């Protein structure tokens, strides 16, 4: 079975002390993820080391960065590179979040180079895609999201694609409380898997974990994750509450 993943995206939230407390509370929930399950915490850069140390003994838990630069090193003040993340022992990085695309002008071509940099440093990208409301209202979401994958991922080798994690996050559902219905999520995930299958074959497409993101909560996770092509979630707001995020972890297949 492909990995079922509950990923917390803290975004730019929480003080250091609040972050420590949140992880302590999550550990106190005492969840032992099954072999096919993975919990990720995408925390702000300054908290990566703290989170890694706290989760070091917790099997099935890992820490992720929320971004990295496309270059390996150099005069890029304020940026963080994939080799730096790898040198801390990290294994995951979120790339292409819609907030980075919108506020930091990250486009498909830039993201293709970030994906390459991450992969060449042994990091698994959690690659985000998703359409804005106007595209959904025009019922053009399938072509829109497929294009995002094609432009940023389809230069990858079969081996590289096999290790990818994709997060489908419709922009209209992020932070709005307006979750995509489980059917809408399933339809899009099945479509994305078929697009990957067309390029790489059904076997590889069947191994790529596709997470849903956008107002996932403890109260809707079971229904969303019960869909066959929904392999877990990328969670913003609800991941800032240990009890609610624990519920989301328990909802994984
Ligand atoms: P919310 O769960 O707050 O809607 O955020 C989703 C998201 O953007 C996760 O990356």
């Amino acid at each position: 079975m492909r990995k079922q993943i509950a990923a917390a995206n803290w975004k730019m939230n929480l003080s250091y002390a609040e972050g420590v407390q949140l992880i302590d509370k999550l550990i106190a929930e005492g969840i032992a993820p099954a072999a096919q399950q993975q919990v990720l915490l995408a925390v702000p850069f300054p908290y990566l080391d703290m989170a890694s140390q706290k989760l070091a003994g917790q099997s099935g838990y890992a820490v992720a960065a929320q971004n990295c630069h496309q270059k390996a090193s150099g005069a890029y003040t304020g940026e963080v590179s994939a080799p730096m993340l790898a040198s801390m022992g990290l294994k995951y990085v979120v790339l292409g979040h819609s907030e980075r695309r919108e506020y930091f002008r990250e486009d498909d071509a830039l993201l293709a180079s970030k994906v390459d940099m991450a992969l060449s440093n042994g990091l698994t990208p959690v690659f985000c895609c998703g359409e804005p409301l106007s595209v959904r209202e025009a019922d053009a979401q399938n072509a829109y999201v497929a294009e995002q994958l094609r432009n940023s991922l389809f230069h990858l080798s079969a081996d590289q694609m096999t290790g990818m994690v994709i997060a489908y996050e419709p922009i209209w559902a992020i932070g709005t409380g307006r979750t995509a219905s489980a059917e809408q999520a399933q339809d899009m995930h099945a479509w994305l898997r078929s697009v990957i299958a067309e390029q790489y074959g059904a076997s590889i497409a069947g191994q790529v974990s596709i997470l849903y993101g956008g107002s996932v909560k403890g109260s809707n996770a079971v229904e969303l994750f019960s869909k066959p092509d929904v392999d877990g979630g990328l969670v913003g707001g609800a991941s800032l509450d240990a009890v609610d995020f624990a519920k989301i972890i328990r909802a994984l297949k």
Side-chain angles (χ1 to χ4, degrees):
M1 190 186 200
R2 57 182 169 259
K3 280 258 184 253
Q4 305 295 304
I5 301 172
N9 179 7
W10 289 6
K11 307 190 181 184
M12 194 174 74
N13 291 300
L14 305 179
S15 68
Y16 188 87
E18 288 165 342
V20 167
Q21 199 179 37
L22 179 51
I23 295 178
D24 283 342
K25 274 190 172 172
L26 188 61
I27 292 171
E29 289 284 322
I31 303 171
Q36 82 282 5
Q37 297 173 342
Q38 176 76 55
V39 180
L40 297 180
L41 300 188
V43 306
F45 288 130
Y47 306 168
L48 286 168
D49 197 41
M50 173 276 287
S52 296
Q53 290 186 31
K54 284 205 166 283
L55 295 172
Q58 306 286 325
S59 107
Y61 291 76
V63 176
Q66 296 177 12
N67 181 33
C68 71
H69 196 266
Q70 65 275 20
K71 294 271 174 58
S73 66
Y76 301 99
T77 302
E79 290 294 315
V80 173
S81 74
M84 290 175 181
L85 299 174
S87 74
M88 302 176 66
L90 293 186
K91 297 277 183 265
Y92 292 90
V93 59
V94 176
L95 291 175
H97 193 283
S98 59
E99 289 149 16
R100 302 246 17 124
R101 292 174 187 262
E102 181 178 353
Y103 306 134
F104 301 94
R105 303 279 153 92
E106 297 195 359
D107 62 17
D108 291 350
L110 175 74
L111 291 169
S113 54
K114 289 191 176 200
V115 166
D116 288 344
M117 184 53 68
L119 287 169
S120 64
N121 285 281
L123 297 168
T124 296
V126 178
F127 179 82
C128 305
C129 57
E131 80 286 356
L133 184 59
S134 57
V135 169
R136 172 63 66 162
E137 284 175 343
D139 197 26
Q141 65 276 4
N142 283 13
Y144 185 96
V145 181
E147 197 61 14
Q148 290 180 319
L149 294 199
R150 271 191 205 106
N151 291 341
S152 297
L153 301 184
F154 280 13
H155 64 286
L156 298 177
S157 70
D159 269 2
Q160 289 175 318
M161 181 54 92
T162 309
M164 282 296 303
V165 176
I166 291 171
Y168 167 61
E169 300 203 305
I171 295 168
W172 46 270
I174 295 178
T176 59
R178 182 179 166 191
T179 317
S181 69
E183 289 69 31
Q184 284 174 320
Q186 168 58 25
D187 285 353
M188 177 57 84
H189 287 216
W191 159 249
L192 291 179
R193 209 177 297 287
S194 77
V195 170
I196 298 168
E198 206 175 296
Q199 182 77 11
Y200 291 95
S203 161
I204 287 171
Q207 294 173 64
V208 175
S209 298
I210 307 180
L211 318 184
Y212 168 78
S215 299
V216 176
K217 299 190 171 23
S219 55
N220 58 26
V222 169
E223 194 189 353
L224 284 162
F225 299 174
S226 71
K227 296 295 176 187
D229 287 291
V230 179
D231 305 315
L234 180 55
V235 187
S239 76
L240 302 176
D241 180 314
V243 173
D244 213 34
F245 188 58
K247 256 188 167 175
I248 293 167
I249 300 172
R250 289 192 182 96
L252 289 174
K253 285 194 272 290

